[in-house]
């Protein structure tokens, strides 16, 4: 049972480079989200999606792009990496039905360093 | 954007001490309150999901209460152990009911 799978786990980028963090879930969950975790800041919501073809901005969307072409996949794109985007990124998913009472499932995290 | 506040930011206790933290959230349009335990280099681990005013939930030595009318939740740890050292995050559902908004967390350190 794979759950939520994130790749890559570790990545080093140069300033200005672009890259995509992949996220896939095999639980047929409608809701998916991307968070970044920084010391003393908790988990901050970047973008989220409530279903295929529907995405919306979270608290800190600038510098990131997302798309949701299928229920399973929710990639996060860094358009032009900046040192301020050095962080740990978590993808999460949960079902829509009874959504407010459902635990969300997290991926294992992607450690990104921008130099 | 929903504002979720946690206090204290960090806490240091001795093994065997009992402790508690606070999570505050807007009481209007409340949907659910989640508690997670997060250790560095690991995914957040779900502790509780609470939806009803007056909810009390327990998992081993950890318990939580919820007051939706005044907008707060307490997390209690009884007889803290070194393995309880972690960051404890609370989160509330946003007003559209579509995403979880997290507080900044309370980092607990337990010394033996």
């Amino acid at each position: 049972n794979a759950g939520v799978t994130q790749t890559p786990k570790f990545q080093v980028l140069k300033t200005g480079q672009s890259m995509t963090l992949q996220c896939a879930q095999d639980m047929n969950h409608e809701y998916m989200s991307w968070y970044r975790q920084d010391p003393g800041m908790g988990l901050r919501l970047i973008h989220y999606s409530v279903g295929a073809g529907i995405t919306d901005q979270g608290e800190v969307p600038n510098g990131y792009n997302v798309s949701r072409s299928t229920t399973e996949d929710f990639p996060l794109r860094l358009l032009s990496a900046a040192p301020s985007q050095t962080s740990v990124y978590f993808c999460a998913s949960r079902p829509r039905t009874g959504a407010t009472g459902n635990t969300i499932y997290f991926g294992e995290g992607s450690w990104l360093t921008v130099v | 954007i929903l504002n979720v506040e946690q206090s204290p930011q960090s806490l240091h206790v001795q093994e065997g001490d009992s402790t508690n933290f606070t999570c505050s959230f807007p009481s209007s349009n409340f949907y659910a309150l989640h508690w997670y335990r997060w250790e560095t280099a690991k995914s957040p681990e779900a502790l509780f999901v609470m939806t009803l005013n007056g909810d009390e939930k327990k998992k081993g030595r950890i318990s939580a209460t919820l007051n939706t009318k005044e907008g707060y939740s307490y997390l209690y740890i009884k007889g803290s152990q070194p393995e309880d050292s972690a960051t404890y995050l609370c989160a509330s559902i946003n007003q559209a009911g579509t995403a979880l908004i997290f507080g900044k967390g309370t980092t607990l350190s337990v010394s033996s």
Side-chain angles (χ1 to χ4, degrees), chain A residues 33-113:
Chain A
S33 307
W34 275 103
Y35 295 89
R36 59 177 289 174
Q37 204 281 333
D38 302 291
M41 300 299 290
L43 285 166
R44 291 184 292 171
L45 181 65
I46 305 172
H47 285 282
Y48 65 97
S49 169
V50 299
I54 306 170
T55 64
D56 207 347
Q57 295 182 348
E59 303 167 86
V60 289
N62 293 340
Y64 306 95
N65 213 350
V66 291
S67 59
R68 186 92 180 272
S69 56
T70 65
T71 300
E72 293 78 19
D73 300 301
F74 190 43
L76 178 74
R77 295 183 188 85
L78 278 71
L79 308 172
S80 177
S84 61
Q85 293 179 303
T86 293
S87 187
V88 184
Y89 292 85
F90 286 98
C91 178
S93 76
R94 62 194 177 102
R96 180 179 61 82
T97 304
T100 60
N102 276 324
T103 301
I104 66 173
Y105 294 80
F106 285 93
E108 294 188 344
S110 296
W111 273 251
L112 177 66
T113 301

Side-chain angles (χ1 to χ4, degrees), chain A residues 11 13-21 77-81:
Chain A
Q11 182 72 49
L13 282 179
K14 292 183 179 178
T15 298
Q17 284 186 315
S18 62
M19 78 156 296
T20 299
L21 297 177
R77 295 183 188 85
L78 278 71
L79 308 172
S80 177

Side-chain angles (χ1 to χ4, degrees), chain A residues 9 31 33 35 37 40-45 48 50 58-59 88 90 94 99-104 106-109 111, chain B residues 1-2 9 31-32 34 36 38 40-44 46 49 51 89 93-94 96-105:
Chain A
K9 193 168 180 69
Y31 289 4
S33 307
Y35 295 89
Q37 204 281 333
M41 300 299 290
L43 285 166
R44 291 184 292 171
L45 181 65
Y48 65 97
V50 299
E59 303 167 86
V88 184
F90 286 98
R94 62 194 177 102
T100 60
N102 276 324
T103 301
I104 66 173
F106 285 93
E108 294 188 344
W111 273 251
Chain B
I1 297 291
L2 194 69
Q9 182 176 355
Y31 289 94
H34 294 229
Y36 288 84
W38 186 71
T40 305
K42 295 184 179 179
S43 302
V49 179
T51 57
L89 299 166
I93 301 285
N94 67 349
T98 51
L100 273 177
I101 304 298
F102 284 83
K104 293 182 180 180

